[in-house]
């Protein structure tokens, strides 16, 4: 079977690495890929934003199955373009990707389906939004409705900041995604992610994970795409995992089917574990990045067979390794702001020899015999261990063998699990 994977980040390298192990696979292509993905797939220089180019390549190359991994492509409708060209693909469809594409839609769906989430209201004008925000008390959470590259949420500590944030969004601070906003109650607790795979009617659990969104140790500094993750996350006890499926994911999949937009694909549930129990923070229509980098090393079953089963409506439970996987993101100085590109990365060959360690590439490029750092998030140094402490020690031992000018990482990935 010929498979096309779309994307170029650490998540896509982890997916490519897992897909490459499938006995069903004859050839893996990745568009556009990166220097790490090139070791397990043929990279084709078509940008992920070129939907027509991707469909043309898939038809000409007789691709049997396409895996679309990123929110921008899913919310933008690449699944629909691929399927219209006759290429079976892992979704969701553009219609169903509204679970990631509109925060207001998700909040309304929670009310309809009886899913526990923060109190909220949706607004299309600033004045009523300010009145409602004042009525909730502080801190208060202000969200752009649409996709905003992970930056569309402002937690305002007081009235002044909340009014400023509301004006900022309506003045186009987050582009068109802020023309409608959601104001919601602040939830206090520990965040965790839970992943499931749906064929539109049935849904199976994948696994849980915990991400580290802030750039600095101790969860300080600005938000990033994620600086590290581990799976399983001890905060998600087996009873919480069961609740995630029964009280959140299954009612959501059923509600989407009832609305005539069945959800097929990976469903990422962001939960806040509060004193009153778990509450929904958000949905994403895909694997998390870097959460995917810790799920794939734990997956014992064939990823390609599982994703195909989601497309074909034949899902069956998957098997997972009990070990803990932990990934440390190595980034370029300045991230999540601006950073330098083009420094040569040293030490990758030595790390490749370490047992139980895999380095998933994100922003890398090959130039001759060198691998260059060309992104904000550059590498995901991932290790397996019998518990979080062992996986963490192995991951950092590998991190310490890798160098480039301006490289940095957090030194505390996994701290919440270790503190428990
Ligand atoms: P989102 O884009 O919805 O994932 O929000 C980004 C981050 O903002 C989440 O991961 C949470 O850390 C935080 N957040 C969002 N909504 C709330 C809320 N109602 N209460 C507390 N934190 C929130
Ligand atoms: N790691 C968070 C995300 O992928 O959205």
């Amino acid at each position: 079977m010929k498979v096309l994977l779309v994307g170029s980040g650490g998540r896509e390298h982890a997916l490519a690495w897992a897909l490459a192990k499938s006995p069903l696979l004859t050839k893996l292509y990745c568009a556009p890929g990166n220097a790490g993905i090139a070791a397990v797939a043929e990279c084709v220089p078509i940008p992920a934003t070129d939907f027509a180019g991707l469909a043309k390549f898939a038809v000409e190359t007789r691709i049997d199955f396409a895996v679309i991994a990123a929110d921008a492509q899913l919310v933008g409708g690449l699944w629909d373009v691929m399927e219209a060209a006759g290429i079976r693909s892992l979704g969701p469809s553009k219609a169903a990707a509204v679970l990631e594409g509109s925060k207001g839609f998700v909040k309304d769906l929670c009310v309809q389906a009886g899913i526990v989430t923060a109190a909220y209201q949706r607004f299309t004008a600033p004045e009523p939004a300010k009145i409602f925000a004042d009525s909730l008390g502080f801190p208060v959470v202000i969200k752009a409705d649409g996709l905003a590259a992970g930056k569309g949420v402002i937690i305002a500590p007081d009235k002044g900041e909340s009014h400023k944030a509301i004006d900022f969004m309506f003045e186009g601070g987050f582009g068109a995604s802020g023309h409608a906003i959601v104001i919601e109650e602040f939830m206090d607790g520990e965040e965790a992610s839970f992943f499931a795979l749906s064929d539109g009617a049935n849904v199976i659990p994948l696994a849980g994970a915990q991400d580290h969104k802030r750039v600095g140790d101790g969860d300080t500094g600005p938000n990033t795409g994620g600086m590290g993750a581990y799976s399983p996350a001890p905060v998600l006890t087996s009873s919480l995992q069961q609740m995630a499926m029964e009280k959140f994911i299954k009612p959501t999949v059923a509600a989407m089917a009832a609305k005539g937009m069945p959800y097929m694909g990976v469903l990422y549930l962001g939960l806040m574990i509060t004193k009153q129990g778990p509450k929904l923070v958000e949905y994403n229509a895909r694997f998390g990045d870097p959460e995917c980098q810790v799920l794939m090393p734990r997956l014992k079953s064939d990823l390609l067979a599982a994703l195909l089963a989601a497309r074909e409506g034949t899902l069956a439970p998957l098997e997972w390794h009990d070990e803990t996987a932990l990934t440390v993101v190595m980034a370029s100085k300045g991230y999540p702001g601006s950073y330098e590109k083009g420094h040569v990365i040293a030490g990758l060959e030595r790390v490749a020899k370490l047992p139980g360690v895999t380095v998933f590439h994100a922003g890398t490029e090959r130039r001759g015999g060198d691998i260059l750092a060309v992104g904000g998030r550059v590498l995901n140094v991932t290790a397996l261990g019998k518990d979080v402490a062992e996986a963490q020690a192995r991951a950092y031992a590998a991190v310490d063998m890798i160098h480039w000018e301006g490289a940095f990482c957090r030194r505390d990935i996994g701290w919440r699990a270790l503190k428990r």
Side-chain angles (χ1 to χ4, degrees):
M1 166 169 290
K2 290 201 233 176
V3 176
L4 171 63
L5 171 66
V6 179
S8 60
R11 166 181 51 208
E12 288 75 21
H13 188 186
L15 291 173
W17 174 87
L19 289 169
K21 293 191 290 189
S22 172
L24 300 174
L25 185 81
T26 53
K27 173 104 190 181
L28 180 61
Y29 296 90
C30 185
N34 62 35
I37 294 173
V40 287
E42 180 175 330
C43 294
V44 284
I46 306 171
T49 47
D50 179 5
F51 292 6
L54 291 166
K56 181 166 175 277
F57 171 81
V59 170
E60 285 172 1
T61 318
R62 297 172 185 272
I63 293 294
D64 299 295
F65 187 51
V67 177
I68 305 164
D71 44 339
Q73 280 72 53
L74 292 162
V75 174
L78 179 56
W79 182 86
D80 308 67
V81 171
M82 285 294 196
E83 291 272 341
I87 307 296
R88 282 188 301 175
S89 304
L90 184 78
S93 66
K94 181 175 182 162
V98 69
L99 283 186
E100 174 151 11
S102 170
K103 297 191 196 304
F105 175 91
V106 170
K107 299 296 288 191
D108 289 351
L109 183 120
C110 285
V111 173
Q112 293 154 18
I115 292 168
V116 182
T117 187
Y120 77 103
Q121 274 188 33
R122 305 173 72 173
F123 296 94
T124 50
E127 291 318 316
K130 289 176 188 171
I131 294 168
F132 180 69
D134 294 348
S135 79
L136 282 178
F138 302 97
V140 68
V141 183
I142 298 146
K143 300 185 170 183
D145 186 78
L147 276 193
K151 297 187 194 101
V153 176
I154 295 177
I155 298 178
D158 55 43
K159 186 165 162 172
E161 291 297 320
S162 124
H163 289 200
K164 226 166 81 187
I166 292 167
D167 286 332
F168 176 76
M169 290 201 190
F170 282 114
E171 282 158 11
F174 292 132
S177 73
H179 292 163
I181 68 169
V182 173
I183 307 268
E184 67 180 49
E185 163 203 23
F186 178 78
M187 297 181 284
D188 199 11
E190 184 170 343
E191 265 183 282
S193 315
F194 190 79
F195 296 85
L197 182 62
S198 172
D199 61 17
N202 300 301
V203 57
I204 59 168
L206 296 174
Q210 200 170 42
D211 183 13
H212 299 59
K213 291 185 200 224
R214 302 298 192 101
V215 75
D217 284 6
D219 295 333
T220 54
N223 261 329
T224 69
M227 294 300 293
Y230 56 97
S231 170
V235 65
L236 285 178
T237 58
S238 59
S239 97
L240 277 174
Q241 292 185 44
Q242 213 176 337
M243 275 179 88
M245 286 303 289
E246 300 303 323
K247 305 268 187 218
F248 295 86
I249 286 171
K250 284 185 183 172
T252 300
V253 167
M256 292 298 282
K259 285 177 184 292
M261 32 183 169
Y263 188 92
M264 181 269 290
V266 174
L267 186 55
Y268 164 147
L269 166 66
L271 281 177
M272 188 72 78
I273 316 300
T274 73
K275 286 203 183 85
Q276 302 91 44
K279 297 185 181 183
L280 180 132
V281 178
E282 61 165 347
Y283 274 126
N284 292 310
R286 52 177 175 82
F287 280 111
D289 183 343
E291 291 93 327
C292 188
Q293 290 86 306
V294 288
L295 295 189
M296 291 305 112
R298 294 191 53 226
L299 179 62
K300 218 188 269 183
S301 303
D302 179 347
L303 176 69
L304 178 52
L307 300 183
L308 261 176
R311 167 62 179 78
E312 300 304 308
T314 55
L315 278 178
L318 302 179
E319 287 188 76
W320 297 84
H321 295 289
D322 289 329
E323 284 176 292
T324 292
L326 183 141
T327 192
V328 177
V329 170
M330 296 184 74
S332 295
K333 190 175 124 204
Y335 177 78
S338 60
Y339 47 81
E340 287 180 15
K341 289 184 184 179
H343 294 295
V344 176
I345 304 172
L348 289 170
E349 296 81 7
R350 271 179 76 205
V351 167
K353 296 192 184 95
L354 298 177
V357 174
T358 310
V359 178
F360 296 120
H361 292 217
T364 68
E365 213 172 84
R366 180 174 282 283
R367 191 183 58 196
D370 290 332
I371 306 273
L372 308 182
V374 296
R377 291 191 292 177
V378 176
L379 299 173
N380 303 260
V381 181
T382 311
L384 284 165
K386 65 177 189 309
D387 52 23
V388 175
E390 189 174 276
Q392 187 198 53
R394 286 181 178 164
Y396 280 112
V399 162
D400 290 337
M401 295 163 80
I402 299 174
H403 302 279
W404 73 88
E405 200 184 316
F408 79 95
C409 65
R410 278 182 61 162
R411 300 298 313 188
D412 64 347
I413 301 305
W415 72 268
R416 284 180 190 278
L418 293 173
K419 208 180 94 181
R420 288 180 83 82

